[in-house]
Amino acid sequence: MEESKTKRLICSSSFLISLLIFHALVYSTIFFQIDEWKAVFSNSDHNLGGTVRNVNVKNVVPKKDPLKIMLRRLVTGQQRIQFEDTGFARLSELNSDIYISSKEVRFDTKASTIYIYSDQELQKYKVQPYPLKNDAVAMKMVKTIEIHHGNIPPPPCDFKHDVPAVVFSSGGFAGNIFHEFNDIIIPVFITSRHFRSKVKFMITDYQLWCINKYRRVLNELSKYEFINAAETTNGTIHCFPGAIVGLKYHDNLAINTSDTPGAYSMLEFRDVLRRSFDLKIRDVSQMLNHQFEKPQLLIVSRTRTRTIVNQNEVVRMMEEIGFRVFIATNDLMTNLNEFSRVIGSSSVMVGVHGAGLTNEIFLPNGAVMIQVLPLELDWVANAYYGGPAKGMGLHYLEYKIEPQESTLYDLYGPDHPAIKDPESIKALGYRKSRVYYLDQQNVTINMERFRKTLFEAMRIIGRSATIDAPN
């Protein structure tokens, strides 16, 4: 009897163990399939030209090729199908042409030529890896690279790298902080961030001053030393397991979250900047603990055009209201390491429209950016700085001057077309209109009107003014 009971217990235990093993196998199989299907449908695979594509299991990228998985996340639609089939894709986007290869890439720095071998007929492409392809002026300052893709024997390697390359130019409009961030640094982030620093930057039109200026940021995006794409001293052929030639670009100082492999936004980009420049304050609310300390207001001061004529008066009024005012000079603004810390500890930034307002990118979340708008610069001011400020987690205020606040009013009189009929001036073309509105125009701020804007900024950051608000 006891023996029979023991046998039943052993059988029951064996059955239970078998059942648990069966469930575990089913569970793991289901979730393996889910992971595979997620890989197929990730990054807009569900929307190929507005139709749903039948998924074939053989289209699933094998797990044994992680590089291809990472590269394919930059590709959508028909180009992704091509990439799956050939390991090579060409993206022709509005602002840039981008070439992506999961096959070995050999870059000849002497000939500025990239070789990608395949058994297909040879195709040659020319690309300038700078995301302003429709701007003829910018592209004159960007070197052309030739890509040979097909059945041509590639040259032997002088250097072998074990991570993919991201090839881009530091030429173009570098030297203007807006373009440095807009055309280079943000596009590099969009293109490479999901690789988690496991990429090498191959930089054409290599400008050491520009690389050094942004080295801290670039080091966050790549843990390897950057390569000068014109360097030939110790050899010329650099070999990579794959590459991205060119940069993805979305909009002025902006990132389209739905079009990035990691769903990154400008908020994540600004976090990378804070880590790069060791900025301690992420949000203005962190400064509210210092209630007895006046909030810092930073003036981005211009010295040649679009200057604030009565800046001294404006500063006195800011101080009366309760701000501690810091005036940024050109010398300080050229030292990004130091200047970023000043901006990062400011609650409010004020400036007349111009490239210096790009520094809003370093403000803490919840800070206020006040843009002073000269005559006839409304659209460009909002497109370049006003709209982007909101995407950065900032509060945006604008102070639009009246004709009497423009020095054009004193220079030409109220009946001149620049004042009375600006559309006729703009009809003459950009070069003619910029002479008036960008090159010749300064502003004399109306103190009473501007005071209201400053009180609104003080209210937004959660502080009280030291004098009463205007009616």
Side-chain angles (χ1 to χ4, degrees), residues 67-84:
L67 174 59
K68 192 169 186 178
I69 293 173
M70 297 298 285
L71 290 167
R72 74 194 283 273
R73 295 176 70 188
L74 292 163
V75 190
T76 60
Q78 188 63 38
Q79 285 81 11
R80 178 175 280 190
I81 298 173
Q82 175 191 342
F83 182 74
E84 297 284 11

Side-chain angles (χ1 to χ4, degrees), residues 120-404:
Q120 301 171 347
E121 182 181 349
L122 178 64
Q123 296 285 331
K124 295 183 179 181
Y125 308 93
K126 290 185 177 181
V127 59
Q128 293 171 281
Y130 187 82
L132 283 184
K133 71 177 186 181
N134 298 314
D135 192 312
V137 177
M139 300 315 276
K140 284 180 180 178
M141 297 176 278
V142 178
K143 189 177 183 65
T144 298
I145 296 170
E146 195 163 284
I147 299 175
H148 294 182
H149 176 233
N151 54 1
I152 180 174
C157 301
D158 294 318
F159 305 94
K160 292 207 76 168
H161 308 281
D162 57 4
V163 294
V166 175
V167 182
F168 64 92
S169 170
S170 64
F173 288 139
N176 175 298
I177 190 173
F178 171 81
H179 287 286
E180 289 161 5
F181 271 107
N182 189 66
D183 309 346
I184 302 174
I185 304 302
I186 295 174
V188 168
F189 174 87
I190 294 170
T191 307
S192 68
R193 179 59 175 165
H194 68 290
F195 286 94
R196 296 295 179 182
S197 304
K198 295 180 180 178
V199 291
K200 280 197 175 184
F201 294 148
M202 191 87 174
I203 306 173
T204 68
D205 310 298
Y206 195 96
Q207 302 187 77
L208 184 59
W209 67 264
C210 184
I211 304 305
N212 285 338
K213 182 177 181 180
Y214 295 99
R215 185 172 293 275
R216 292 184 176 206
V217 189
L218 295 173
N219 282 338
E220 281 280 331
L221 301 174
S222 171
K223 64 180 182 180
Y224 303 95
E225 187 56 46
F226 319 134
I227 304 171
N228 181 348
E231 174 59 49
T232 61
T233 303
N234 299 312
T236 66
I237 312 300
H238 289 261
C239 298
F240 303 91
I244 305 158
V245 184
L247 297 174
K248 293 186 73 68
Y249 174 88
H250 291 163
D251 205 347
N252 297 320
L253 300 181
I255 295 174
N256 177 3
T257 301
S258 63
D259 191 29
T260 59
Y264 302 119
S265 70
M266 280 299 292
L267 295 178
E268 281 82 13
F269 174 74
R270 277 159 43 79
D271 283 340
V272 166
L273 284 187
R274 290 188 188 98
R275 285 198 301 275
S276 302
F277 291 96
D278 195 27
L279 306 182
K280 305 299 184 185
I281 300 170
R282 189 175 190 273
D283 195 282
V284 164
S285 62
Q286 294 173 246
M287 293 188 275
L288 290 178
N289 297 329
H290 308 287
Q291 284 287 354
F292 298 107
E293 183 179 309
K294 293 182 177 181
Q296 181 165 287
L297 181 151
L298 172 69
I299 296 180
V300 177
S301 183
R302 299 181 61 88
T303 57
R304 288 180 293 183
T305 63
R306 282 161 280 145
T307 64
I308 300 175
V309 177
N310 58 337
Q311 182 170 287
N312 290 339
E313 290 180 71
V314 172
V315 168
R316 282 195 294 272
M317 179 176 67
M318 291 170 169
E319 291 173 340
E320 288 173 4
I321 289 173
F323 289 106
R324 183 177 76 258
V325 180
F326 190 104
I327 302 174
T329 61
N330 285 338
D331 288 343
L332 177 60
M333 286 191 280
T334 57
N335 187 332
L336 203 57
N337 292 342
E338 290 186 22
F339 190 41
S340 62
R341 293 188 181 94
V342 174
I343 306 165
S345 59
S346 299
S347 300
V348 180
M349 188 174 94
V350 176
V352 181
H353 170 75
L357 296 187
T358 306
N359 289 294
E360 67 182 355
I361 210 164
F362 291 106
L363 286 169
N365 294 341
V368 179
M369 205 281 274
I370 302 174
Q371 181 171 202
V372 177
L373 270 62
L375 296 182
E376 300 306 315
L377 295 180
D378 301 47
W379 181 87
V380 69
N382 185 65
Y384 282 26
Y385 306 110
K390 299 166 188 174
M392 296 179 197
L394 304 175
H395 296 281
Y396 174 68
L397 300 176
E398 61 182 33
Y399 176 80
K400 184 176 179 181
I401 73 167
E402 294 179 342
Q404 294 86 345

Side-chain angles (χ1 to χ4, degrees), residues 46-64:
H46 62 284
N47 185 8
L48 301 176
T51 61
V52 176
R53 179 164 66 96
N54 290 329
V55 178
N56 191 318
V57 174
K58 65 183 180 182
N59 285 333
V60 176
V61 179
K63 284 180 177 285
K64 64 182 180 182

